[in-house]
Amino acid sequence: MSRKYATELTKEMLINNYGIEYVSKDGQTIIDNSGKELKQTITIGNRGTAYERTYKTIQTYDKLNRTKIPRKYKYTTKDGTVKTIDSYTYKTTALGVHRLVWVWYNDCQPAGMIVDHIDNNPLNNNLENLQLLSPSENVAKDRKNTSTYELKCNLNKPRSFYENKLEGYTLAYEQAKKDKDAKAAHLLRTNIAHTRARLRYYDRHIDEYLKEKQTTKPPEHECHARAEKRRELQANIDSSRKFYKEVLAAYGKNDPIVKQYWYEWKMAIAMLNGFKEECKKAKQG
């Protein structure tokens, strides 16, 4: 097991190796043996898009087993020549505040066990909100909480988009296994699992989404509504004029039916002119 929870962490290690002097029960205050309160930072978990969680951590290092990282240090002399010196720095470790709280008050986090947040809020590091679970129990708990387990996808895209991604990840995963690149294989295996979860979400929700899309129309913009109304009024004018000319040619100008169609034609023109005036006032206002 290569993850952080694979190694055992004890209170004795916190005191001797990491120099921790005090941890509060709510996880808000962590003090080292120099009396300095350690700064807490928020770190995003590496469990993929759907599993993205923020954890409070402190940046520290093991003072007894300090890991040296080689580096090159460059400097310029007075005569302008650049010289390089082989140097090193110490590797730091981000320790989760929830782990610190649990270990400080329970003396130990056994190897292979996970400190889990009961209310699924990773920023709530109170001792009462923490429990010790095995990896399988933690996964089962995540699956019950659909908001963190289910990978959502864009239903506007076709299913083939996710199928092509899955095919590409699978081919790259096979190549990584041949090249014996363990890190790339692990990341690609995670991407494959996430893409399969997105396909499951797609199949489960696409029918409902298409129905909703057909029944609900997007809200109409005000200028579009005005243009539509203007087209309707102009169509009324055209139809009234057409009927007036046909009746005039058939019955002559003195017939009462001809006068009625003439009156309807003029009313349609007046309605359009009134609507134009309203539009002008609305723009000015």
Side-chain angles (χ1 to χ4, degrees), residues 123-176:
L123 296 181
N124 181 7
N125 294 316
N126 282 292
L127 181 63
E128 297 149 359
N129 186 45
L130 303 176
Q131 62 180 349
L132 209 60
L133 296 178
S134 66
S136 58
E137 289 171 339
N138 189 43
V139 170
K141 181 173 178 283
D142 275 348
R143 286 184 177 175
K144 288 179 184 176
N145 185 8
T146 56
S147 63
T148 59
Y149 178 73
E150 194 167 43
L151 280 155
K152 294 186 179 180
C153 61
N154 186 356
L155 294 171
N156 283 316
K157 293 181 178 179
R159 193 178 192 277
S160 58
F161 172 79
Y162 297 101
E163 289 174 344
N164 294 337
K165 283 184 80 172
L166 180 61
E167 184 180 355
Y169 287 142
T170 306
L171 292 173
Y173 173 64
E174 295 296 332
Q175 186 61 43

Side-chain angles (χ1 to χ4, degrees), residues 20-37:
I20 306 296
E21 190 70 27
Y22 171 75
V23 180
S24 63
K25 276 194 176 183
D26 58 359
Q28 297 293 331
T29 308
I30 301 170
I31 300 174
D32 65 4
N33 51 17
S34 64
K36 178 185 173 184
E37 184 176 344

Side-chain angles (χ1 to χ4, degrees), residues 241-253 255-259 261:
R241 182 176 57 188
K242 180 183 176 183
F243 286 131
Y244 167 71
K245 287 185 176 181
E246 287 177 356
V247 174
L248 179 65
Y251 299 102
K253 63 180 180 179
D255 193 277
I257 297 177
V258 175
K259 291 181 179 179
Y261 278 106

Side-chain angles (χ1 to χ4, degrees), residues 103-285:
V103 171
W104 193 262
Y105 291 97
N106 293 280
D107 295 327
C108 180
Q109 178 193 353
M113 298 298 285
I114 299 171
V115 178
D116 176 66
H117 297 85
I118 296 171
D119 65 352
N120 296 312
N121 177 11
L123 296 181
N124 181 7
N125 294 316
N126 282 292
L127 181 63
E128 297 149 359
N129 186 45
L130 303 176
Q131 62 180 349
L132 209 60
L133 296 178
S134 66
S136 58
E137 289 171 339
N138 189 43
V139 170
K141 181 173 178 283
D142 275 348
R143 286 184 177 175
K144 288 179 184 176
N145 185 8
T146 56
S147 63
T148 59
Y149 178 73
E150 194 167 43
L151 280 155
K152 294 186 179 180
C153 61
N154 186 356
L155 294 171
N156 283 316
K157 293 181 178 179
R159 193 178 192 277
S160 58
F161 172 79
Y162 297 101
E163 289 174 344
N164 294 337
K165 283 184 80 172
L166 180 61
E167 184 180 355
Y169 287 142
T170 306
L171 292 173
Y173 173 64
E174 295 296 332
Q175 186 61 43
K177 282 203 301 186
K178 287 179 184 176
D179 298 340
K180 296 183 180 179
D181 189 345
K183 186 176 180 181
H186 170 71
L187 292 174
L188 288 165
R189 192 165 56 243
T190 304
N191 289 338
I192 289 170
H194 290 177
T195 309
R196 282 176 180 162
R198 286 192 173 96
L199 280 170
R200 287 195 296 271
Y201 180 90
Y202 191 95
D203 294 335
R204 195 179 300 122
H205 295 88
I206 187 63
D207 294 335
E208 184 182 345
Y209 172 76
L210 291 176
K211 269 186 200 173
E212 187 180 343
K213 194 174 180 182
Q214 288 171 359
T215 53
T216 58
K217 292 182 179 179
E220 198 173 44
H221 197 272
E222 189 178 353
C223 63
H224 296 165
R226 286 177 187 167
E228 185 65 28
K229 181 73 180 291
R230 188 167 180 170
R231 282 194 290 269
E232 287 178 8
L233 293 173
Q234 186 63 47
N236 288 340
I237 292 173
D238 294 341
S239 62
S240 300
R241 182 176 57 188
K242 180 183 176 183
F243 286 131
Y244 167 71
K245 287 185 176 181
E246 287 177 356
V247 174
L248 179 65
Y251 299 102
K253 63 180 180 179
N254 294 324
D255 193 277
I257 297 177
V258 175
K259 291 181 179 179
Q260 181 183 349
Y261 278 106
W262 179 85
Y263 178 73
E264 288 181 0
W265 177 32
K266 294 301 177 183
M267 284 297 296
I269 294 173
M271 287 177 67
L272 179 60
N273 291 334
F275 181 71
K276 286 179 180 179
E277 289 296 325
E278 288 178 10
C279 292
K280 282 182 183 177
K281 289 179 182 178
K283 286 181 181 178
Q284 291 172 358

